[in-house]
Amino acid sequence: MDEELRSLAGRVRREAEDPVAYERLLATEDLDELARVLTETERPLWAREMAAFRLGCAGDRRAFETLVLLLNHRDPQRCVTAAYALARLRDPRTARAAAALATNSLRTAYALHPVRLLTELRAPETVPALITTLRGLLAPTNPHWRVALACVEGLGQLRDARARPVLEAALDHPRLVAAAAAALSRLA
């Protein structure tokens, strides 16, 4: 069992009201059984999360929709788990979905993990989405500085010259200045 699955298993064990169902989901190697958990009615969130995670890590695209929903969840731990599985799923829709979540100004509070996932994916959508998201977060009173910082750090990792103007604008923000300077130093 890898570290991410171990972490997920420990967290959802506390939520699982049915220890037999929990152990079965953790032990099964039957991908069809895991996929059924995603479509059956009245399955608890912990069961859907575990099934989607295991399917995603196995490269089974039936987990895609559930993982995207979890990537946008209010619980940061669920977002981390979903991002990890989506990165391993290798579904071509993932970058587009993460970009849509990251750039949705109504959901900025939940954009941290989509931004980090986009950086990891390095897809064609990544740089434009990070620039758009960061540009929307540069207002002095914007409370989502952690999301802005993730954008700055991601743009620095990607080293794309298109990010120069928004990174230069980020230099004016005390919480972003060091990361923006470092990102600018990496640009081609």
Side-chain angles (χ1 to χ4, degrees), residues 8-9 12 22 25-26 45-54:
L8 169 64
V12 302
Y22 166 83
L25 279 177
L26 188 59
L45 181 58
W46 68 264
R48 292 180 194 278
E49 180 182 9
M50 182 176 287
F53 178 86
R54 297 209 45 227

Side-chain angles (χ1 to χ4, degrees), residues 87 90 94-96 98 114-128 130 153-160 162 186:
R90 304 208 188 287
T94 300
R96 208 169 32 254
V115 164
R116 289 180 176 161
L117 176 59
L118 277 168
T119 301
E120 183 177 349
L121 294 174
R122 297 178 175 265
E125 298 89 345
T126 299
V127 171
L130 294 183
E153 291 170 345
L155 290 168
Q157 289 175 29
L158 297 167
R159 302 175 183 217
D160 191 305
R162 293 176 291 175
R186 291 188 204 113

Side-chain angles (χ1 to χ4, degrees), residues 4 24 28 57 62 72 101 134-135 137 144 156 161 167 181 183:
E4 291 299 321
R24 181 158 179 84
T28 188
C57 290
R62 292 177 287 184
N72 195 35
L101 292 174
L134 180 56
R135 190 177 292 124
L137 297 174
H144 305 294
L167 289 172

Side-chain angles (χ1 to χ4, degrees), residues 25-108:
L25 279 177
L26 188 59
T28 188
E29 296 299 323
D30 183 349
L31 298 182
D32 291 332
E33 179 180 351
L34 292 170
R36 279 191 299 277
V37 171
L38 302 180
T39 59
E40 291 174 349
T41 59
E42 300 184 25
R43 283 293 191 146
L45 181 58
W46 68 264
R48 292 180 194 278
E49 180 182 9
M50 182 176 287
F53 178 86
R54 297 209 45 227
L55 286 167
C57 290
D60 190 315
R61 292 184 179 171
R62 292 177 287 184
F64 177 77
E65 288 83 6
T66 302
L67 290 171
V68 169
L69 288 172
L70 291 167
L71 182 63
N72 195 35
H73 199 274
R74 68 182 174 273
D75 179 349
Q77 291 178 314
R78 287 200 157 93
C79 299
V80 169
T81 300
Y84 181 87
L86 280 165
R88 279 133 196 89
L89 181 59
R90 304 208 188 287
D91 189 302
R93 301 171 292 174
T94 300
R96 208 169 32 254
L101 292 174
T103 59
N104 182 343
S105 61
L106 299 175
R107 300 291 291 171
T108 303

Side-chain angles (χ1 to χ4, degrees), residues 137-153:
L137 297 174
L138 291 179
T141 58
N142 193 301
H144 305 294
W145 65 270
R146 285 182 179 85
V147 176
L149 182 60
C151 289
V152 169
E153 291 170 345

